[in-house]
Amino acid sequence: MTADSSAAASPGTPASGGPGDAAPRTMSRAAGGTGRKSSAQAARKQDPRADGRTDPKAARKADRQAARRSRRYRRDVRWSPYLFISPFFLFFTAFGLFPLLYTGWASLHRVSLHEPTTMEWAGLHNYTRLLEDEFFWNALRNTFTIGVISTVPQLLMALGLAHILNYRLRGAMFFRVAMLAPYATSVAAATLVFVLLFGRDYGMINWALGFLGIENINWQTGHWTSQLAVASIVIWRWTGYNTLIYLAAMQAVPRDLYESAALDGATRWQQFRHVTIPSLRPTILFTVVVSTIGATQLFGEPLLFGGAGGQKGGPDHAYQTLGLYMYEQGWFNFHLGRASAIAWAMFLILLLIALVNWLIARRLRRS
C-alpha cells in the first residue's frame, strides 16, 4: 500500500494542495510583475516626464515642436483669409488702380494717341482748359438732364412695380424673372431696337403719335426729343433691376407693422406711405446713388443711338454726355491727355456724389 501510494505521487506532477503547487503561481506573479515593469519603462521612454525624472533634451525638443505647431496655427488663422481674397486685390490693382493712377498722371501731360509713350509736361493746363471749354459744360448739362429724366421715372416705376409684386399674385415668379430680362439684354441689341422704334419715317412711336394728329418727329436731331429717347432706353433697361431690389427690401419689412396699421384703419395707400416708404429709405438712397453713378458714366446708349458720328451726340451735340465727350477727345481728336482730364473730372464728380450720399445716410441714421 505504501509502495502504491508513493508510485502514484510522481515528482513531476505534484498533488493538489501540495508543496509543488506553489511554484508555478510564484513564477507567474514574477512574470506579470516583470511585464508591468517593462511596459512602464517603455512608457517612460516615450514620455520622459511621466515619472517626474525628465530628460532635459527631450523636454526642450518637445517644447520646440509644440511652439512651432502653435506658431504655424496662429499664422494660418491670421493670414489665410488674406490669401483667399488676394486674387481680387491683384486684379483690382492691375485693372483698376493702376489705370486710374496712370490716367491721372497722363492728365498732367500733353499726350497724343499717335505717340502714347511720348509725354510733355503740361501741369494743370488740361483741367483749366476744360473750365473754358463750352463743349465740356454742354456735355455736363446733357449728362445731368438725361440722368434726371431717366432716374426719377425709373425709380418711381420700380417702386410701384415692387409694391404690386409684393402681394400674392399668380405666376409671381414669372413676373420676377421677366423683370430681369431687359437688364440681361445686350446694350447694343436694346439700343438698335429703340432706334427702329424712334425712326422718323417708319418708327412705331411716330406711327402711334400719328393717330393723335402729331406729325413725325425726328428724334435724333431735336435737343429734348433725343434726350427723351436716350432716357427711355435707360429706363427700360434698369427699371426691372431696381424693382427686384425694392422687392427684396419690402419682403424684409416686418408684417406686424402692416397688421398694426390695418387694425388702426389704414388703407393700402396709407400703409404704403407710412410703413413701406419709411422702411425703404436706406434702399431708396442706395438706388438713387447707384443710378446717379450710372447716369454719370452713360456711354453705350447715346453712342449707338446716334449711329455714325454718335460720339458727337447728334448734329448739335444735343445728347453728348461726358463719356461721349471723353471718347471723342481721346479716340477721334487723339488728345489722350485731355481725355484723361475729363475722366478724372468724372471721377471727382462721383466722389462728390459719394460724399453727398454719406452725409444723407448719416442724417438718416441720426433721425
Side-chain angles (χ1 to χ4, degrees):
M1 293 291 293
T2 304
D4 294 337
S5 61
S6 62
S10 62
T13 56
S16 177
D21 186 44
R25 293 184 181 178
T26 305
M27 291 176 64
S28 64
R29 283 198 298 270
T34 305
R36 282 193 294 271
K37 288 180 182 179
S38 60
S39 61
Q41 291 174 356
R44 281 196 298 272
K45 287 181 180 179
Q46 293 177 359
D47 187 3
R49 294 172 291 182
D51 59 349
R53 292 176 294 178
T54 305
D55 186 359
K57 293 183 179 180
R60 285 195 296 270
K61 183 178 179 181
D63 291 339
R64 284 196 301 269
Q65 292 176 351
R68 281 197 297 270
R69 286 195 296 268
S70 179
R71 284 195 300 270
R72 284 198 297 267
Y73 175 76
R74 289 197 300 268
R75 285 196 296 266
D76 180 46
V77 171
R78 183 176 181 180
W79 298 109
S80 292
Y82 295 100
L83 182 63
F84 294 148
I85 64 175
S86 60
F88 165 77
F89 289 101
L90 293 176
F91 280 101
F92 173 75
T93 302
F95 301 104
L97 185 60
F98 174 74
L100 178 66
L101 297 178
Y102 184 80
T103 303
W105 178 249
S107 67
L108 302 176
H109 295 77
R110 291 185 179 91
V111 191
S112 175
L113 184 63
H114 300 295
E115 298 178 355
T117 58
T118 303
M119 294 186 178
E120 180 185 353
W121 178 259
L124 299 177
H125 172 73
N126 291 324
Y127 293 96
T128 56
R129 188 186 181 283
L130 287 181
L131 299 178
E132 302 171 357
D133 189 355
E134 60 175 341
F135 293 107
F136 171 76
W137 292 108
N138 174 70
L140 183 61
R141 284 193 300 269
N142 292 339
T143 303
F144 176 77
T145 54
I146 293 176
V148 171
I149 62 180
S150 64
T151 299
V152 175
Q154 172 193 150
L155 297 183
L156 291 177
M157 292 171 59
L159 196 60
L161 291 172
H163 183 64
I164 295 173
L165 292 177
N166 194 31
Y167 290 99
R168 293 182 179 178
L169 297 174
R170 289 185 178 180
M173 185 58 66
F174 168 77
F175 291 111
R176 294 174 185 176
V177 173
M179 286 295 170
L180 275 181
Y183 173 71
T185 306
S186 169
V187 178
T191 305
L192 292 177
V193 170
F194 273 84
V195 168
L196 296 176
L197 292 176
F198 285 102
R200 184 188 63 179
D201 298 323
Y202 303 104
M204 187 175 293
I205 303 297
N206 282 338
W207 174 77
L209 293 176
F211 289 100
L212 302 177
I214 301 175
E215 297 182 357
N216 288 352
I217 300 174
N218 193 346
W219 295 92
Q220 293 180 332
T221 57
H223 183 78
W224 288 106
T225 55
S226 59
Q227 292 191 10
L228 285 172
V230 173
S232 65
I233 305 173
V234 179
I235 292 172
W236 181 81
R237 289 197 69 239
W238 292 97
T239 298
Y241 174 82
N242 291 305
T243 297
L244 294 185
I245 293 179
Y246 287 147
L247 179 61
M250 287 180 183
Q251 291 180 345
V253 178
R255 293 294 174 184
D256 297 341
L257 299 178
Y258 292 104
E259 294 176 359
S260 300
L263 291 175
D264 292 338
T267 61
R268 286 194 173 183
W269 171 247
Q270 291 174 335
Q271 293 177 21
F272 179 74
R273 285 180 54 197
H274 301 290
V275 177
T276 304
I277 297 297
S279 301
L280 296 185
R281 283 189 302 179
T283 307
I284 293 174
L285 178 62
F286 168 77
T287 54
V288 168
V289 172
V290 171
S291 301
T292 305
I293 293 175
T296 306
Q297 299 175 335
L298 192 62
F299 176 75
E301 290 86 347
L303 175 67
L304 297 173
F305 183 77
Q311 77 280 356
K312 294 183 177 295
D316 298 325
H317 303 270
Y319 54 93
Q320 186 182 48
T321 60
L322 287 174
L324 287 183
Y325 185 57
M326 177 186 65
Y327 180 60
E328 180 187 19
Q329 290 297 317
W331 277 262
F332 286 87
N333 297 339
F334 311 115
H335 299 310
L336 290 184
R338 199 174 301 168
S340 300
I342 298 171
W344 263 81
M346 295 172 62
F347 178 67
L348 295 177
I349 292 173
L350 294 179
L351 288 181
L352 181 61
I353 294 172
L355 177 62
V356 173
N357 170 40
W358 178 74
L359 293 175
I360 296 176
R362 182 181 179 184
R363 184 174 181 180
L364 288 176
R365 285 195 298 268
R366 287 183 177 180
S367 63

